[in-house]
Amino acid sequence: RSIAVVGTLQLSFTPRQHYRIKHHVKYAAYSKFPTFTLWYEKGLKNLLGSNVDYDLLKLGVCQNLKTGFDNYLHYSLVAGQYLNNRKLFAPDYTFFNSNNQVVRFSNHLDQFGLPKYYQLFSNKHFFDGYIGFDFGKLLLKRLPLLNKTLIREDLKINYVTTESVPNYLEMSYGLHNIFLLFDVDFYVGFQNWEHRQTGVSISVNLH
C-alpha cells in the first residue's frame, strides 16, 4: 500500500519579462525569451506514515512565439532524473500525457495521440519535447470554401525517451475549430525511428 507525503519546489524565470498594470493589478505581458523552470520533488519517508523515498529533479524550457501575421509556434522541453528512487510506487512515476481514443474531449499540445493511457512513463530518467505550429492557413485551408471559415491548421512533433520507452516520436497534422466545436488530427508514430502506427482522432471541445 502506498502512502505518500511529497514536498515540491518550483522556480520559474523568464528573462526580460515585460509587465502591464490594469486596474492596479500587475501581470506578465510578454517576453522575447523563453521561460526556464526548475522542479524538485521529494518523497518524504516516515512523515505522517509516508512510505515513499525518492528525489526527482526536472529542468524545463517553454515559449510561445508569433511567427507571422496569423501563425504561432509553441514548444516545451523537459529533462528529468530521479536522483534517488529507493522506494516509489506507480502513482509516483512520471507519466506522459497520452490518449489513443478515436473520440475524445480534450486536445492539448503535449498530448500523444497513439499510445495507450499510462503507456509512457519513467521512474529513472527521461526527456520529452513538444513543438506545435499553429497556422491560420497552410494546406487545406487554402481550398475554396474552407478559406472562408475559422478553421485553423496545426503541425505537431512530440518526442519522449525513457528507460522503458526509448525514442518514441509522433507527428501530426490537424484541422481545428471545425464548426467552432471539433478538431480532427492525423497521427504517425515511430519507435526507435521505425514506423509503428498511424491513427486519427476527433476531439469535441466543450469548453
Side-chain angles (χ1 to χ4, degrees):
R1 187 174 65 142
S2 170
I3 301 176
V5 176
V6 178
T8 60
L9 174 66
Q10 178 177 323
L11 300 173
S12 294
F13 172 64
T14 305
R16 298 188 181 180
Q17 177 70 66
H18 292 257
Y19 296 88
R20 289 177 179 162
I21 297 177
K22 185 175 183 180
H23 302 305
H24 306 290
V25 177
K26 182 180 179 180
Y27 64 95
Y30 67 92
S31 174
K32 295 181 179 179
F33 296 88
T35 296
F36 300 90
T37 304
L38 177 69
W39 297 266
Y40 173 67
E41 184 175 311
K42 171 68 175 177
L44 300 169
K45 185 179 179 180
N46 297 327
L47 179 62
L48 301 177
S50 175
N51 59 355
V52 298
D53 183 4
Y54 69 89
D55 295 87
L56 171 62
L57 185 67
K58 297 190 296 182
L59 177 63
V61 57
C62 64
Q63 190 174 18
N64 298 323
L65 294 170
K66 187 172 183 179
T67 58
F69 173 71
D70 197 22
N71 302 327
Y72 301 88
L73 167 66
H74 319 275
Y75 70 85
S76 173
L77 308 172
V78 178
Q81 174 75 49
Y82 282 84
L83 305 177
N84 150 40
N85 61 356
R86 281 188 288 269
K87 191 168 185 181
L88 67 164
F89 300 84
D92 310 306
Y93 294 177
T94 297
F95 290 94
F96 304 92
N97 191 9
S98 60
N99 185 348
N100 69 336
Q101 302 299 307
V102 175
V103 179
R104 58 190 68 166
F105 295 93
S106 66
N107 190 8
H108 304 292
L109 171 65
D110 64 348
Q111 180 172 273
F112 291 89
L114 295 174
K116 298 178 181 179
Y117 291 119
Y118 309 117
Q119 182 177 341
L120 305 176
F121 68 90
S122 172
N123 60 15
K124 292 182 179 179
H125 49 77
F126 60 86
F127 174 81
D128 67 296
Y130 312 99
I131 302 176
F133 302 90
D134 183 2
F135 300 95
K137 185 180 295 184
L138 178 63
L139 298 174
L140 296 181
K141 187 66 184 295
R142 298 182 182 275
L143 297 176
L145 299 181
L146 287 182
N147 62 6
K148 302 297 183 182
T149 69
L150 295 177
I151 292 175
R152 298 187 64 83
E153 298 172 279
D154 74 14
L155 296 175
K156 291 189 291 187
I157 302 173
N158 293 357
Y159 172 82
V160 64
T161 185
T162 78
E163 73 284 352
S164 60
V165 184
N167 296 317
Y168 179 72
L169 174 70
E170 190 174 275
M171 297 185 291
S172 68
Y173 166 78
L175 293 171
H176 293 190
N177 294 331
I178 302 173
F179 303 118
L180 301 179
L181 186 61
F182 301 100
D183 299 342
V184 177
D185 291 275
F186 304 88
Y187 301 91
V188 181
F190 300 86
Q191 181 74 56
N192 278 327
W193 321 119
E194 295 183 0
H195 176 256
R196 283 289 183 264
Q197 53 189 333
T198 58
V200 62
S201 72
I202 300 174
S203 303
V204 183
N205 300 312
L206 299 179
H207 57 279

